[in-house]
Amino acid sequence: MDKMKNVSEKELTNFPVREIGPYIVTKLIGEGGMGKVWRAWRISEGSFKKILAIKTSKSSKKYIDLFMNEAKISARFEHENIVKTFDFGKTDDAFFLVMEYIRGIDLKEFILNVKNIPIDVFFFIIDRILSGVIYIHNFEGRQLVHRDINQKNILISWNGNVKISDFGITLPQHGDFDPFGKIGYVPPEVILGKGWSQLGDIWCIGVLMWEMLTSKKLFSGKGKEDLKKKILSCNIDPPSLFNKSVSEEIDKIVMNCLSRVPESRYISAERLQEEIRRTMSNLSIKPMYQEDFSLFISDHFSERIKKEDKEIAEEEAYVSIYAVEKNVKNIETKVENKITSKNSSSPSYYIFSPGDQKKERHHTEKKNDSGTKIRKIKRKKRDEKIFFTSSILGFVLGLTIGVFKGAYEIKSAEGLFKKGVDLAKERNFGQAKEFFQISADISDLREVRNIIDRLNTNYGKND
């Protein structure tokens, strides 16, 4: 992909960047009851960049406890239909959870844009959701219940995968602590105070299936109490009333999941998945594969895919430069502090320029009474001076090299490198490469050459 070409200087300076731990956060992509979800980046050694999603918690103890629960459970999940958790940490003002970033959309956006979802697509998505739910229900024998299966928590990637997210209230069934869930998907028995069981998740999947087949909300009302009354009434029309392509067999599956009595529903997610697959076979519906679903998505969301690809390319360009500039500032500060510390312990110490060195040598040679001793002291200071000055560029460029260049050469390479960074920010990548090349020739630093290689890869050697 032709990354960075569409990045303007204005765009580079106006990203809403913040840092959470070692992560660079670039965009708010979601917000829920317990916190916010951000798109973020991690830059590691060798300028390797990884795009991630970061969820931050609200500050109240109730939400922090749920957040900690999500971190402990989701970090151990390993399933292709479940969003993977990589890290957990705390900043000064919030806890955060680091997850895989899904390039794609949630089921809500999918339903809004596709409208009449083909039956084979419907079966593909539901089968993948059920695979994830089966894994959760059987995880470590803990009888977990997700409790929050809804359109926003089902993610669909551009490559055709389907993943379940958000495990903040995923807890064992019939526990002392029994969070409610999203009201439009809460089963009748929970509203009546009987608590969640795994059969409650079957109800949630039934609501999802009904909404996918009709492109409508199953329960809507003026407020929570109105919604509760409608759920408890269970006055539900079959999907076929709104979608003539829905067969009687599919109606039966959906309405079974939406039974008011939990024991009348499918006894497990495994049993529901078996029935889904058996019905597909009976109706002679050819199974869809992930590659087929990916093509379907590409046909319906081509502009949306381009938009996200462009956003991510712009962010990747920005965080690369942001990381370099941050490294420059951090290392310069460290070196300045070290020099300041040295000055405070030895007031006569300072960093010499080449002109200063010449003057100092001339001044020293005129001191006949202690010339030899003073020259030794000055030579030692020059050696220290060259070491510290050389260190500045070595650290600024994020490297450690075994043999330090001369102070004058290193300073020149540093200036050329910074000029290249400024030109890259202005999208003048051709000239930027020239400055990086000269800096690399002077300093002979591998990482500068890596930057040049990356620019050549993205723009070609003649751009």
Side-chain angles (χ1 to χ4, degrees), residues 206-221:
V207 176
L208 277 186
M209 290 194 290
W210 194 96
E211 292 176 343
M212 289 176 67
L213 292 168
T214 65
S215 299
K216 300 177 182 293
K217 291 294 291 181
L218 177 52
F219 299 108
S220 58

Side-chain angles (χ1 to χ4, degrees), residues 324 327-340 349-352 384-401 404-407 409-415 417-418 443 445:
V324 169
N327 196 37
V328 167
K329 292 176 183 177
N330 288 345
I331 300 307
E332 284 179 338
T333 300
K334 289 180 181 179
V335 174
E336 286 171 5
N337 290 341
K338 194 167 186 179
I339 293 172
T340 301
Y349 177 81
Y350 63 98
I351 293 183
F352 293 76
E384 291 176 332
K385 159 194 68 178
I386 292 172
F387 173 80
F388 279 109
T389 308
S390 300
S391 297
I392 291 174
L393 183 67
F395 283 118
V396 161
L397 298 179
L399 312 168
T400 301
I401 54 175
F404 289 102
K405 295 281 183 176
E409 288 181 330
I410 291 295
K411 194 67 180 176
S412 298
E414 178 185 356
F417 179 81
K418 289 182 177 179
S443 63
L445 297 177

Side-chain angles (χ1 to χ4, degrees), residues 270-327:
E270 290 97 328
R271 181 70 186 87
L272 174 54
Q273 189 178 59
E274 289 170 6
E275 189 64 18
I276 288 282
R277 293 176 176 179
R278 186 188 66 80
T279 300
M280 287 181 64
S281 177
N282 290 346
L283 296 175
S284 299
I285 297 173
K286 184 180 178 181
M288 175 174 273
Y289 296 97
Q290 185 172 328
E291 306 87 69
D292 304 319
F293 186 43
S294 178
L295 292 174
F296 177 87
I297 293 170
S298 298
D299 289 340
H300 286 78
F301 294 93
S302 58
E303 292 304 314
R304 179 70 171 76
I305 294 171
K306 290 177 184 177
K307 179 182 177 182
E308 184 175 27
D309 285 346
K310 181 177 182 292
E311 284 183 358
I312 290 174
E314 289 171 352
E315 288 181 16
E316 184 176 1
Y318 177 76
V319 297
S320 298
I321 296 172
Y322 176 87
V324 169
E325 291 184 329
K326 181 188 174 188
N327 196 37

Side-chain angles (χ1 to χ4, degrees), residues 413-449:
E414 178 185 356
L416 291 164
F417 179 81
K418 289 182 177 179
K419 180 63 177 176
V421 170
D422 291 339
L423 288 167
K425 289 173 64 177
E426 296 170 1
R427 297 175 60 207
N428 193 341
F429 297 110
Q431 288 190 32
K433 284 192 291 184
E434 293 178 9
F435 278 91
F436 288 142
Q437 184 64 61
I438 299 171
S439 177
D441 291 342
I442 294 174
S443 63
D444 196 29
L445 297 177
R446 175 174 54 83
E447 276 69 9
V448 181
R449 299 193 187 280

